[in-house]
CSV table of all heavy atoms in Angstrom, one decimal:
chain,number,residue,atom,x,y,z
A,1,GLU,N,0.9,-1.2,0.1
A,1,GLU,CA,0.0,0.0,0.0
A,1,GLU,C,0.9,1.3,-0.1
A,1,GLU,O,0.5,2.2,-0.7
A,1,GLU,CB,-1.0,0.0,1.2
A,1,GLU,CG,-2.1,-1.0,1.1
A,1,GLU,CD,-3.0,-0.9,2.2
A,1,GLU,OE1,-2.7,-0.2,3.3
A,1,GLU,OE2,-4.1,-1.6,2.2
A,2,SER,N,2.0,1.2,0.7
A,2,SER,CA,2.9,2.3,0.7
A,2,SER,C,3.5,2.6,-0.7
A,2,SER,O,3.6,3.8,-1.1
A,2,SER,CB,4.0,2.1,1.8
A,2,SER,OG,5.0,3.2,1.8
A,3,LEU,N,3.9,1.5,-1.3
A,3,LEU,CA,4.4,1.7,-2.7
A,3,LEU,C,3.4,2.2,-3.7
A,3,LEU,O,3.7,3.0,-4.5
A,3,LEU,CB,5.0,0.3,-3.2
A,3,LEU,CG,5.6,0.3,-4.6
A,3,LEU,CD1,6.7,1.2,-4.7
A,3,LEU,CD2,5.9,-1.1,-5.0
A,4,THR,N,2.2,1.7,-3.5
A,4,THR,CA,1.1,2.0,-4.4
A,4,THR,C,0.8,3.6,-4.2
A,4,THR,O,0.6,4.3,-5.2
A,4,THR,CB,-0.3,1.3,-4.1
A,4,THR,OG1,-0.1,-0.1,-4.4
A,4,THR,CG2,-1.4,1.9,-4.7
A,5,GLU,N,0.8,4.1,-3.0
A,5,GLU,CA,0.5,5.5,-2.8
A,5,GLU,C,1.7,6.4,-3.3
A,5,GLU,O,1.5,7.4,-3.9
A,5,GLU,CB,0.4,5.8,-1.2
A,5,GLU,CG,0.2,7.3,-1.1
A,5,GLU,CD,-0.1,7.6,0.4
A,5,GLU,OE1,-0.5,6.7,1.2
A,5,GLU,OE2,-0.1,8.8,0.8
A,6,GLN,N,2.9,5.9,-3.1
A,6,GLN,CA,4.1,6.5,-3.7
A,6,GLN,C,4.0,6.7,-5.2
A,6,GLN,O,4.3,7.7,-5.8
A,6,GLN,CB,5.4,5.8,-3.3
A,6,GLN,CG,6.7,6.3,-3.9
A,6,GLN,CD,7.8,5.4,-3.8
A,6,GLN,OE1,7.9,4.6,-2.8
A,6,GLN,NE2,8.8,5.5,-4.7
A,7,LYS,N,3.8,5.6,-5.9
A,7,LYS,CA,3.6,5.6,-7.4
A,7,LYS,C,2.5,6.5,-7.8
A,7,LYS,O,2.6,7.3,-8.7
A,7,LYS,CB,3.4,4.2,-7.8
A,7,LYS,CG,4.5,3.2,-7.7
A,7,LYS,CD,5.8,3.6,-8.5
A,7,LYS,CE,6.9,2.6,-8.4
A,7,LYS,NZ,8.0,3.0,-9.2
A,8,ALA,N,1.4,6.5,-7.0
A,8,ALA,CA,0.3,7.3,-7.4
A,8,ALA,C,0.6,8.8,-7.3
A,8,ALA,O,0.2,9.6,-8.1
A,8,ALA,CB,-1.0,7.0,-6.5
A,9,ARG,N,1.3,9.1,-6.2
A,9,ARG,CA,1.7,10.6,-6.0
A,9,ARG,C,2.7,11.1,-7.0
A,9,ARG,O,2.7,12.2,-7.5
A,9,ARG,CB,2.3,10.8,-4.6
A,9,ARG,CG,1.3,10.7,-3.5
A,9,ARG,CD,1.7,11.1,-2.1
A,9,ARG,NE,0.7,11.0,-1.1
A,9,ARG,CZ,-0.2,11.9,-0.9
A,9,ARG,NH1,-0.3,12.9,-1.6
A,9,ARG,NH2,-1.1,11.7,0.1
A,10,GLU,N,3.6,10.1,-7.5
A,10,GLU,CA,4.5,10.4,-8.6
A,10,GLU,C,3.7,10.8,-9.9
A,10,GLU,O,4.0,11.8,-10.5
A,10,GLU,CB,5.4,9.2,-8.9
A,10,GLU,CG,6.5,9.1,-7.8
A,10,GLU,CD,7.3,7.8,-8.0
A,10,GLU,OE1,7.0,7.2,-9.1
A,10,GLU,OE2,8.1,7.6,-7.2
A,11,LEU,N,2.6,10.1,-10.2
A,11,LEU,CA,1.8,10.4,-11.4
A,11,LEU,C,1.1,11.6,-11.2
A,11,LEU,O,0.8,12.4,-12.1
A,11,LEU,CB,0.8,9.2,-11.7
A,11,LEU,CG,1.6,8.0,-12.2
A,11,LEU,CD1,0.6,6.8,-12.3
A,11,LEU,CD2,2.1,8.2,-13.6
A,12,ILE,N,0.5,11.8,-10.0
A,12,ILE,CA,-0.2,13.1,-9.7
A,12,ILE,C,0.7,14.3,-9.9
A,12,ILE,O,0.3,15.3,-10.4
A,12,ILE,CB,-0.8,13.1,-8.2
A,12,ILE,CG1,-2.0,12.1,-8.2
A,12,ILE,CG2,-1.1,14.4,-7.7
A,12,ILE,CD1,-2.5,11.8,-6.8
A,13,GLY,N,2.0,14.2,-9.5
A,13,GLY,CA,2.9,15.2,-9.8
A,13,GLY,C,3.1,15.4,-11.2
A,13,GLY,O,3.2,16.6,-11.7
A,14,LEU,N,3.3,14.4,-12.0
A,14,LEU,CA,3.6,14.4,-13.4
A,14,LEU,C,2.5,15.1,-14.1
A,14,LEU,O,2.7,15.8,-15.1
A,14,LEU,CB,3.8,12.9,-14.0
A,14,LEU,CG,4.1,12.9,-15.5
A,14,LEU,CD1,5.3,13.5,-15.9
A,14,LEU,CD2,4.1,11.3,-15.8
A,15,LEU,N,1.2,14.8,-13.7
A,15,LEU,CA,0.1,15.4,-14.4
A,15,LEU,C,-0.4,16.7,-13.8
A,15,LEU,O,-1.5,17.1,-14.1
A,15,LEU,CB,-1.1,14.4,-14.5
A,15,LEU,CG,-1.0,13.5,-15.7
A,15,LEU,CD1,0.1,12.5,-15.6
A,15,LEU,CD2,-2.3,12.7,-15.9
A,16,GLU,N,0.4,17.2,-12.9
A,16,GLU,CA,0.2,18.6,-12.2
A,16,GLU,C,-1.2,18.6,-11.5
A,16,GLU,O,-1.9,19.6,-11.6
A,16,GLU,CB,0.2,19.7,-13.3
A,16,GLU,CG,1.6,19.7,-14.0
A,16,GLU,CD,1.7,20.9,-14.9
A,16,GLU,OE1,0.7,21.5,-15.2
A,16,GLU,OE2,2.9,21.1,-15.4
A,17,LEU,N,-1.4,17.5,-10.8
A,17,LEU,CA,-2.7,17.4,-10.0
A,17,LEU,C,-2.4,17.5,-8.5
A,17,LEU,O,-3.3,17.3,-7.7
A,17,LEU,CB,-3.3,15.9,-10.3
A,17,LEU,CG,-3.8,15.8,-11.7
A,17,LEU,CD1,-4.2,14.3,-12.0
A,17,LEU,CD2,-5.1,16.7,-11.9
A,18,GLY,N,-1.2,17.8,-8.2
A,18,GLY,CA,-0.9,17.9,-6.8
A,18,GLY,C,-1.7,18.7,-5.9
A,18,GLY,O,-2.2,18.3,-4.8
A,19,PRO,N,-2.1,20.0,-6.3
A,19,PRO,CA,-3.0,20.8,-5.5
A,19,PRO,C,-4.4,20.3,-5.2
A,19,PRO,O,-5.0,20.7,-4.3
A,19,PRO,CB,-3.1,22.1,-6.3
A,19,PRO,CG,-1.8,22.1,-7.2
A,19,PRO,CD,-1.6,20.6,-7.5
A,20,VAL,N,-4.8,19.3,-6.1
A,20,VAL,CA,-6.2,18.7,-5.8
A,20,VAL,C,-6.1,17.3,-5.5
A,20,VAL,O,-7.1,16.5,-5.5
A,20,VAL,CB,-7.1,18.9,-7.1
A,20,VAL,CG1,-7.3,20.4,-7.4
A,20,VAL,CG2,-6.4,18.2,-8.3
A,21,ALA,N,-5.0,16.7,-5.0
A,21,ALA,CA,-4.8,15.3,-4.7
A,21,ALA,C,-5.8,14.9,-3.7
A,21,ALA,O,-6.3,13.7,-3.8
A,21,ALA,CB,-3.3,15.1,-4.1
A,22,SER,N,-6.2,15.7,-2.7
A,22,SER,CA,-7.2,15.3,-1.7
A,22,SER,C,-8.6,15.6,-2.0
A,22,SER,O,-9.5,15.3,-1.2
A,22,SER,CB,-6.7,15.9,-0.3
A,22,SER,OG,-5.4,15.5,0.0
A,23,ALA,N,-8.8,16.3,-3.1
A,23,ALA,CA,-10.2,16.7,-3.5
A,23,ALA,C,-10.9,15.6,-4.0
A,23,ALA,O,-10.5,14.7,-4.6
A,23,ALA,CB,-10.1,17.8,-4.5
A,24,ARG,N,-12.3,15.7,-3.8
A,24,ARG,CA,-13.2,14.7,-4.4
A,24,ARG,C,-13.3,14.9,-5.9
A,24,ARG,O,-13.3,16.2,-6.4
A,24,ARG,CB,-14.6,14.9,-3.8
A,24,ARG,CG,-14.9,14.3,-2.5
A,24,ARG,CD,-16.4,14.2,-2.2
A,24,ARG,NE,-17.2,15.2,-3.0
A,24,ARG,CZ,-18.6,15.1,-3.3
A,24,ARG,NH1,-19.1,13.9,-2.9
A,24,ARG,NH2,-19.2,16.0,-3.9
A,25,VAL,N,-13.2,13.9,-6.6
A,25,VAL,CA,-13.2,14.0,-8.1
A,25,VAL,C,-14.5,14.8,-8.6
A,25,VAL,O,-14.5,15.6,-9.4
A,25,VAL,CB,-13.2,12.6,-8.8
A,25,VAL,CG1,-13.6,12.7,-10.3
A,25,VAL,CG2,-11.7,12.1,-8.6
A,26,ALA,N,-15.6,14.6,-8.0
A,26,ALA,CA,-16.9,15.2,-8.3
A,26,ALA,C,-16.9,16.7,-8.2
A,26,ALA,O,-17.6,17.4,-8.9
A,26,ALA,CB,-18.1,14.6,-7.5
A,27,ASP,N,-15.9,17.2,-7.4
A,27,ASP,CA,-15.9,18.7,-7.2
A,27,ASP,C,-14.9,19.4,-8.2
A,27,ASP,O,-14.7,20.6,-8.1
A,27,ASP,CB,-15.5,18.9,-5.7
A,27,ASP,CG,-16.4,18.4,-4.7
A,27,ASP,OD1,-17.6,18.4,-5.1
A,27,ASP,OD2,-15.9,18.0,-3.7
A,28,LEU,N,-14.3,18.6,-9.1
A,28,LEU,CA,-13.4,19.1,-10.0
A,28,LEU,C,-13.9,19.5,-11.3
A,28,LEU,O,-14.8,18.9,-11.8
A,28,LEU,CB,-12.2,18.1,-10.2
A,28,LEU,CG,-11.4,17.8,-8.9
A,28,LEU,CD1,-10.4,16.7,-9.1
A,28,LEU,CD2,-10.7,19.0,-8.3
A,29,PRO,N,-13.3,20.5,-12.1
A,29,PRO,CA,-13.7,20.8,-13.4
A,29,PRO,C,-13.4,19.6,-14.3
A,29,PRO,O,-12.6,18.8,-14.1
A,29,PRO,CB,-12.6,21.9,-13.8
A,29,PRO,CG,-12.3,22.5,-12.5
A,29,PRO,CD,-12.1,21.4,-11.6
A,30,PHE,N,-14.2,19.5,-15.4
A,30,PHE,CA,-14.2,18.4,-16.3
A,30,PHE,C,-12.8,18.1,-16.8
A,30,PHE,O,-12.3,17.0,-16.9
A,30,PHE,CB,-15.2,18.7,-17.5
A,30,PHE,CG,-15.2,17.5,-18.4
A,30,PHE,CD1,-16.0,16.3,-18.1
A,30,PHE,CD2,-14.6,17.6,-19.7
A,30,PHE,CE1,-16.1,15.3,-19.0
A,30,PHE,CE2,-14.7,16.4,-20.6
A,30,PHE,CZ,-15.5,15.3,-20.2
A,31,GLY,N,-12.1,19.2,-17.3
A,31,GLY,CA,-10.8,19.0,-17.8
A,31,GLY,C,-9.8,18.4,-16.8
A,31,GLY,O,-8.9,17.6,-17.2
A,32,THR,N,-10.0,18.8,-15.6
A,32,THR,CA,-9.1,18.2,-14.4
A,32,THR,C,-9.4,16.7,-14.3
A,32,THR,O,-8.6,15.8,-14.1
A,32,THR,CB,-9.3,18.9,-13.2
A,32,THR,OG1,-9.0,20.3,-13.4
A,32,THR,CG2,-8.3,18.4,-12.1
A,33,GLN,N,-10.7,16.4,-14.3
A,33,GLN,CA,-11.2,15.0,-14.2
A,33,GLN,C,-10.6,14.1,-15.4
A,33,GLN,O,-10.3,13.0,-15.1
A,33,GLN,CB,-12.7,14.9,-14.3
A,33,GLN,CG,-13.4,15.5,-13.0
A,33,GLN,CD,-14.8,15.2,-13.0
A,33,GLN,OE1,-15.3,14.3,-13.4
A,33,GLN,NE2,-15.6,16.2,-12.4
A,34,LYS,N,-10.5,14.7,-16.5
A,34,LYS,CA,-9.8,14.0,-17.6
A,34,LYS,C,-8.4,13.5,-17.3
A,34,LYS,O,-7.9,12.5,-17.6
A,34,LYS,CB,-9.9,14.8,-18.9
A,34,LYS,CG,-11.2,14.9,-19.6
A,34,LYS,CD,-11.4,13.7,-20.6
A,34,LYS,CE,-12.5,13.9,-21.5
A,34,LYS,NZ,-12.6,12.9,-22.5
A,35,ARG,N,-7.7,14.6,-16.6
A,35,ARG,CA,-6.3,14.2,-16.3
A,35,ARG,C,-6.2,13.2,-15.1
A,35,ARG,O,-5.3,12.3,-15.1
A,35,ARG,CB,-5.5,15.5,-15.9
A,35,ARG,CG,-5.1,16.3,-17.1
A,35,ARG,CD,-4.1,17.5,-16.6
A,35,ARG,NE,-4.9,18.5,-16.1
A,35,ARG,CZ,-4.7,19.2,-15.0
A,35,ARG,NH1,-3.4,19.0,-14.3
A,35,ARG,NH2,-5.4,20.1,-14.5
A,36,VAL,N,-7.3,13.2,-14.2
A,36,VAL,CA,-7.3,12.2,-13.2
A,36,VAL,C,-7.5,10.8,-13.8
A,36,VAL,O,-6.8,9.7,-13.5
A,36,VAL,CB,-8.4,12.4,-12.2
A,36,VAL,CG1,-8.5,11.3,-11.2
A,36,VAL,CG2,-8.2,13.8,-11.5
A,37,GLU,N,-8.3,10.7,-14.9
A,37,GLU,CA,-8.5,9.4,-15.5
A,37,GLU,C,-7.3,9.0,-16.2
A,37,GLU,O,-7.0,7.7,-16.2
A,37,GLU,CB,-9.7,9.4,-16.5
A,37,GLU,CG,-10.1,8.0,-17.0
A,37,GLU,CD,-11.2,8.1,-17.9
A,37,GLU,OE1,-11.4,8.9,-18.8
A,37,GLU,OE2,-12.1,7.1,-17.8
């Protein structure tokens, strides 16, 4: 689980999603949700 979270955070950084990492997906703009997917 620790490795899974580490890898996930690396991708979140790569796709510039760091500021919304803890946000609910439903609360994000459509374009940001596309990057999450």
Side-chain angles (χ1 to χ4, degrees):
E1 287 184 350
S2 177
L3 178 61
T4 293
E5 181 175 344
Q6 175 192 331
K7 294 292 186 181
R9 289 191 181 278
E10 288 173 2
L11 287 170
I12 284 171
L14 177 63
L15 273 70
E16 300 181 350
L17 292 166
V20 295
S22 300
R24 280 197 331 156
V25 164
D27 298 331
L28 299 175
F30 183 75
T32 305
Q33 290 186 36
K34 283 272 194 176
R35 279 188 285 138
V36 175
E37 188 177 42

